[in-house]
Amino acid sequence: MFRRIKNRYLRYFTIFVYFVIIFFCAIELNFLWLFGYSPDMHDIKNPTMSLASEVYYADGTLIGRYYKENRSPVEFNKISPNVINALIATEDVRFYHHNGVDFYSFFTSMLSTASGDRRGGSTITQQLAKNLFETRKKKSQGVMRHIPGVKTVVYKIKEWLTAFKIEHVYSKNQILTLYLNTVPFGNNTFGIKTASLKLFNKTPDALTPAEAATLVGMLKATSTYNPINNPKHSLERRNVVLGQMLKYNYIKKTDYDTSVNKPIKLDLSYVENEGQGDSYLRQAVSRWLKKWLKDNDYDLYEDGLKIYTTIDPRLQQYAEEAVNEKMKMLQKRFYNLWGNKNPWQDLDGNEIKDFVLKAEEKLPIYARLQKKYNNDATLIRQYFETPKHMKVFTWNGERDTTFSSADSIKYYAKLLNTGMMTMEPTTGKIKVWVGGIDYKYFNYDHVNQARRQAGSTFKPFAYLTALDNGYSPCDKFTDRPVSIKYVDEGKQQVWEPNNADFHFSYQDMSLRWAMGKSVNSITAQLTEKVGWDKVVEYAHKVGIESPLKAIPSVSLGSNDVSVYEMTRAYSTFLNRGKKVDPILVTKITDQDGNVLKEFTLKEEQVISEEVAWLMLYMFRGGMEEPGGTSQALWEYPGLWKKASNQIGGKTGTSSKYVDGWYMGITKDLVTGVWVGADDRTVHFTSSETGEGSHTALPIFARFMEKVYADPKSGYTPGPFPKPWTKITKKYDCPSPVPVVDSAETDSLFRPADSLKTPPVKQDSAANTQ
């Protein structure tokens, strides 16, 4: 075919052009998968940018964002002409005179590079092709990438082809908009809007020529010309851009002179105010949506979702304030208790001598140090003992200090933590989520990631089992020593529980009194009567999901559970016996507001309305029965401004005062609070310092005081609901208020408790519909 061309040079040129065309076509078609992916016209018309997803409170205010590439798109008319002019003058002065590829600039740049003056020849459209369609990323490369030199030619041709397609589909202004929304500015910042907000706390339409020149100047090398890290280089580069703008008449000489002599003035306040940082709540939403995202093929970090949660910002604020206020006091109490002594102890109360060493061995860096130092214990020890400059969490704010790694382990091991969740049972909506004292330093979420021994907060499930199997709140048991034989893993065992005060009164007590006073011996007897396997069954039925070991001590909270599932289980009682699936997210939309998913209440009737109401009546016993464990709530006057207010609940304390719990119930809300150290060998030493009534209950009480004090919170004090159905079981059985000898030291009837015991309130709706 080519032999028909008589002129040899013309023939060679034709052959060259022919094979160039074939080569271009092969790249476009990815012939034999040699060249990798190239965007087609459908891709060009429907580009996908990595967009941050946003998560909101129930009232629509922003909680935070999820992103791999921190960007927020902006329209062309929201971009200052100063930005457009600076970009064109610096990156592509012939932008309006080419169709995507500027061959004049390409060949002149090659000549300049050959003469030692390196400069790029890519147009803005080509750079857009690279940024938006990732033409140089691994997925866009085929087998030819392994041939040196050829890879560069291939991806350059891909950029040309893609640039021609872009120019065919989009106008020049649309191309500029797409470019400015995708271009990286370093430090995980993408797009002109995000960059201008982060550096100048301005939207792009308000940028001055000097500010626009600073941002455009960064595009050459985002790290080298970063005004935060390299202000001198950034200033020099900014002035080069301003010079280009002057050269091509995009700025007047007077404006140039004014701008070039200005220092770079940054305003970095936006990042802190925008709420883009990580948090317990942000991570909780991520975990809650994990299955839905996977099932529906969405990426939380790239698809620009808008997620609306059930969290009430007012209640969340009051919960965080209550936690901060009370945890400061608890931490001070803990320090005063231990002084200079180390609080990590074994079951016999002896200090664990190798506590720090074991903690070091659990750190990810320990294995790397073993490899680095060939298991030389001396060098590893030296690493952990070497002082370093670091920032640490304190209740008075972040503090700069000099600690060794070993010092840091000791310091943080002594810090108490907490988890708190509030839920509205009738709607299933989670209103409050406090995963810990500070997410930056303690990532582990103590609401649904941590599981701890529930202590006496688990007792109500034994009483629930009894009420649903023939017993009534008025049935009586004697507070006496108990010995229960059982088989555990094939071995004969005997369980002989003590009461919290190590005393038995030998007094007959109603079930309501026994639960309100949290008497271990009666709970144990009741568990033996109804069956510990049955107690496990009912706990699972109302919402406990953690595995539970069916042994007699199950009713005293020997198993580990989470704040989340305890709050869910207690909500069953206020929701007329219906177990609910807690809702953290109400709906998800795309960037345009189209609803992708709405989450609605799912509930299941698991116990009768009668038993559910009787359990609420039992919970009130903690306040109303003599010696009730919730009576410390009387010390908070903000809870009782309305005389008719009723609060039910249950305290809980695990062995050795390791875990303190309070589960609080009002007419509208259920709140769960846990307090303790992350390491279980670190704990309080006495009931006066470490019981749930002294650690977790005050957080609940202060929180509810704040809620009740705010008329806009939507929650007011008031009585529990009247019976939802006819009550067939006897429950109106007032307990005798004991007369306490002033010299009595017996903790069964503590003077402090008896003094705070209110008159026993009886329901006028006894045995009525």
Side-chain angles (χ1 to χ4, degrees):
M1 171 174 76
F2 297 109
R3 292 176 181 175
R4 296 178 183 175
I5 303 175
K6 302 302 182 182
N7 187 297
R8 181 176 60 178
Y9 298 106
L10 180 60
R11 183 167 67 248
Y12 290 158
F13 178 74
T14 304
I15 292 171
F16 172 75
V17 171
Y18 179 82
F19 280 102
V20 166
I21 293 172
I22 295 295
F23 188 57
F24 270 65
C25 291
I27 292 174
E28 176 66 16
L29 297 173
N30 190 19
F31 181 68
L32 296 178
W33 300 279
L34 293 172
F35 305 100
Y37 155 84
S38 292
D40 57 23
M41 290 304 290
H42 179 270
D43 297 326
I44 301 295
K45 292 177 181 178
N46 299 279
T48 56
M49 286 188 288
S50 175
L51 300 177
S53 293
E54 297 176 333
V55 58
Y56 297 92
Y57 286 112
D59 68 349
T61 55
L62 183 69
I63 295 173
R65 308 174 75 203
Y66 305 87
Y67 51 76
K68 291 177 182 174
E69 298 177 356
N70 184 11
R71 76 168 86 243
S72 183
V74 63
E75 296 176 1
F76 182 80
N77 60 4
K78 300 293 184 181
I79 303 172
S80 168
N82 293 321
V83 176
I84 303 298
N85 295 338
L87 178 66
I88 292 174
T90 309
E91 296 292 324
D92 189 0
V93 72
R94 289 168 48 81
F95 175 71
Y96 289 107
H97 304 286
H98 62 67
N99 292 316
V101 179
D102 187 351
F103 289 106
Y104 173 81
S105 294
F106 175 71
F107 287 116
T108 55
S109 70
M110 290 181 65
L111 292 174
S112 297
T113 301
S115 64
D117 179 22
R118 290 179 59 87
R119 67 180 180 86
S122 293
T123 65
I124 289 174
T125 314
Q126 286 175 252
Q127 293 178 49
L128 173 62
K130 181 176 66 176
N131 294 336
L132 187 56
F133 298 104
E134 300 182 331
T135 53
R136 299 190 183 189
K137 291 293 179 72
K138 192 170 182 179
K139 74 165 188 172
S140 301
Q141 300 173 6
V143 178
M144 299 296 283
R145 73 177 183 273
H146 299 294
I147 304 175
V150 175
K151 177 176 72 172
T152 304
V153 173
V154 169
Y155 69 55
K156 199 67 182 177
I157 292 174
K158 282 188 181 183
E159 285 174 13
W160 287 353
L161 294 171
T162 305
F164 282 129
K165 295 174 189 174
I166 290 172
E167 292 271 349
H168 178 73
V169 172
Y170 297 105
S171 68
K172 289 291 185 179
N173 286 352
Q174 288 174 324
I175 290 170
L176 289 170
T177 305
L178 280 170
Y179 176 83
L180 288 169
N181 280 326
T182 57
V183 67
F185 286 88
N187 295 325
N188 198 27
T189 299
F190 291 77
I192 189 67
K193 182 178 178 181
T194 303
S196 61
L197 285 169
K198 288 183 72 172
L199 291 177
F200 299 108
N201 196 18
K202 287 183 177 181
T203 51
D205 58 338
L207 292 170
T208 65
E211 291 165 344
T214 301
L215 291 170
V216 170
M218 291 176 65
L219 301 180
K220 184 174 183 179
T222 56
S223 178
T224 302
Y225 300 118
N226 186 302
I228 300 174
N229 301 326
N230 294 298
K232 181 181 178 182
H233 290 159
S234 179
L235 181 65
E236 292 171 354
R237 178 62 182 165
R238 182 204 70 178
N239 291 344
V240 169
V241 175
L242 288 170
Q244 289 292 102
M245 294 174 72
L246 177 66
K247 177 181 179 181
Y248 293 108
N249 299 317
Y250 284 115
I251 188 173
K252 294 179 181 178
K253 184 66 166 64
T254 53
D255 292 334
Y256 169 80
D257 292 337
T258 302
S259 299
V260 82
N261 292 314
K262 283 183 178 180
I264 296 178
K265 188 176 181 181
L266 302 177
D267 182 350
L268 306 179
S269 61
Y270 174 80
V271 174
E272 296 175 4
N273 295 335
E274 183 66 8
Q276 295 178 7
D278 225 336
S279 67
Y280 293 110
L281 188 51
R282 181 180 172 280
Q283 286 302 316
V285 171
S286 175
R287 290 192 299 272
W288 201 81
L289 289 176
K290 186 176 180 180
K291 185 178 186 303
W292 182 85
L293 292 166
K294 182 179 180 181
D295 292 346
N296 294 275
D297 196 26
Y298 281 104
D299 189 320
L300 186 61
Y301 293 85
E302 293 188 340
D303 290 338
L305 304 174
K306 292 185 180 294
I307 302 157
Y308 298 88
T309 73
T310 59
I311 299 297
D312 186 311
R314 288 177 182 271
L315 269 63
Q316 181 72 16
Q317 177 185 339
Y318 297 147
E320 291 174 359
E321 290 174 354
V323 163
N324 289 344
E325 180 182 325
K326 295 301 181 181
M327 288 300 292
K328 281 183 184 179
M329 296 169 59
L330 289 172
Q331 192 64 56
K332 186 176 180 181
R333 180 196 303 171
F334 189 81
Y335 285 148
N336 290 338
L337 173 68
W338 286 100
N340 293 325
K341 294 190 297 183
N342 291 324
W344 34 88
Q345 296 184 340
D346 60 22
L347 294 176
D348 297 322
N350 301 313
E351 182 183 336
I352 301 171
K353 299 299 183 182
D354 60 350
F355 175 85
V356 175
L357 177 61
K358 287 182 176 178
E360 290 170 353
E361 290 173 349
K362 293 177 183 176
L363 296 174
I365 196 174
Y366 194 85
R368 297 199 294 271
L369 291 173
Q370 284 181 308
K371 185 176 181 180
K372 179 179 180 180
Y373 297 126
N374 295 318
N375 286 320
D376 188 320
T378 302
L379 292 176
I380 295 174
R381 180 86 256 122
Q382 185 178 359
Y383 172 86
F384 281 106
E385 295 292 346
T386 301
K388 309 174 185 69
H389 177 75
M390 63 177 69
K391 293 181 183 291
V392 297
F393 166 85
T394 76
W395 279 111
N396 295 316
E398 196 173 57
R399 181 166 65 91
D400 289 304
T401 189
T402 301
F403 268 176
S404 68
S405 297
D407 291 333
S408 177
I409 289 171
K410 293 175 185 177
Y411 175 77
Y412 283 113
K414 295 177 184 178
L415 290 178
L416 300 174
N417 221 312
T418 189
M420 178 178 180
M421 172 178 156
T422 297
M423 179 174 162
E424 190 176 71
T426 55
T427 63
K429 293 180 178 179
I430 299 171
K431 296 295 182 177
V432 164
W433 190 295
V434 181
I437 57 174
D438 188 280
Y439 184 84
K440 181 177 179 180
Y441 288 93
F442 308 92
N443 295 162
Y444 202 56
D445 193 314
H446 297 85
V447 171
N448 71 341
Q449 285 186 303
R451 282 171 168 72
R452 301 296 287 254
Q453 282 193 348
S456 294
T457 56
F458 209 86
K459 287 177 180 175
F461 302 128
Y463 291 88
L464 163 65
T465 308
L467 293 184
D468 206 33
N469 287 275
Y471 289 85
S472 78
C474 292
D475 287 334
K476 293 185 177 181
F477 283 75
T478 303
D479 176 20
R480 59 174 177 78
V482 180
S483 180
I484 300 175
K485 295 179 180 180
Y486 67 104
V487 178
D488 182 28
E489 298 179 355
K491 295 180 180 179
Q492 288 287 339
Q493 304 282 354
V494 178
W495 183 51
E496 297 179 341
N498 274 312
N499 284 331
D501 57 4
F502 300 96
H503 176 87
F504 300 99
S505 67
Y506 294 92
Q507 184 172 9
D508 290 340
M509 304 177 75
S510 70
L511 293 186
R512 186 180 194 247
W513 189 5
M515 185 175 121
K517 193 171 171 55
S518 198
V519 181
N520 289 349
S521 67
I522 292 179
T523 304
Q525 293 174 59
L526 191 65
T527 301
E528 185 177 26
K529 290 286 187 182
V530 300
W532 39 87
D533 55 339
K534 201 78 170 173
V535 174
V536 169
E537 177 188 329
Y538 272 83
H540 285 315
K541 184 182 289 189
V542 295
I544 300 297
E545 296 177 336
S546 292
L548 303 172
K549 190 172 184 179
I551 54 177
S553 62
V554 65
S555 297
L556 269 59
S558 57
N559 288 284
D560 287 355
V561 293
S562 69
V563 171
Y564 176 91
E565 57 191 331
M566 287 294 285
T567 307
R568 177 193 189 191
Y570 272 57
S571 293
T572 302
F573 307 124
L574 195 57
N575 194 38
R576 301 188 175 203
K578 296 175 184 176
K579 178 181 69 176
V580 300
D581 287 341
I583 301 173
L584 184 56
V585 175
T586 54
K587 70 175 180 179
I588 304 172
T589 72
D590 60 18
Q591 283 284 311
D592 298 322
N594 299 311
V595 177
L596 304 175
K597 176 67 177 179
E598 287 189 281
F599 297 91
T600 55
L601 177 64
K602 293 180 181 178
E603 53 186 2
E604 176 189 0
Q605 193 80 44
V606 292
I607 57 175
S608 68
E609 291 189 349
E610 178 183 9
V611 170
W613 187 87
L614 287 172
M615 283 301 298
L616 292 182
Y617 181 71
M618 296 278 284
F619 282 117
R620 282 167 44 194
M623 292 295 297
E624 298 171 1
E625 293 288 346
T629 59
S630 294
Q631 290 183 3
L633 292 176
W634 291 113
E635 299 172 7
Y636 293 84
L639 301 178
W640 312 109
K641 289 182 179 178
K642 189 171 182 179
S644 64
N645 192 35
Q646 292 177 332
I647 297 177
K650 189 72 193 75
T651 57
T653 312
S654 65
S655 298
K656 300 288 184 180
Y657 312 102
V658 172
D659 306 288
W661 290 77
Y662 191 71
M663 301 299 303
I665 306 175
T666 69
K667 66 181 178 67
D668 304 300
L669 301 170
V670 172
T671 299
V673 183
W674 167 86
V675 172
D678 281 324
D679 193 291
R680 300 188 195 216
T681 65
V682 178
H683 48 77
F684 286 102
T685 59
S686 66
S687 60
E688 287 75 17
T689 56
E691 279 187 347
S693 59
H694 299 297
T695 58
L697 179 147
I699 295 175
F700 165 78
R702 191 70 188 100
F703 164 64
M704 287 308 304
E705 274 194 322
K706 290 175 178 286
V707 172
Y708 287 156
D710 182 0
K712 295 182 180 180
S713 72
Y715 298 97
T716 58
F720 275 18
K722 297 297 183 182
W724 303 298
T725 186
K726 184 176 181 179
I727 305 301
T728 61
K729 295 177 182 290
K730 182 181 179 182
Y731 66 90
D732 185 2
C733 45
S735 301
V737 179
V739 178
V740 181
D741 188 332
S742 60
E744 178 65 65
T745 59
D746 183 287
S747 63
L748 184 64
F749 301 118
R750 294 175 190 160
D753 283 345
S754 62
L755 286 172
K756 293 187 180 71
T757 302
V760 178
K761 300 178 183 179
Q762 302 302 330
D763 261 276
S764 59
N767 298 311
T768 59
Q769 187 70 25

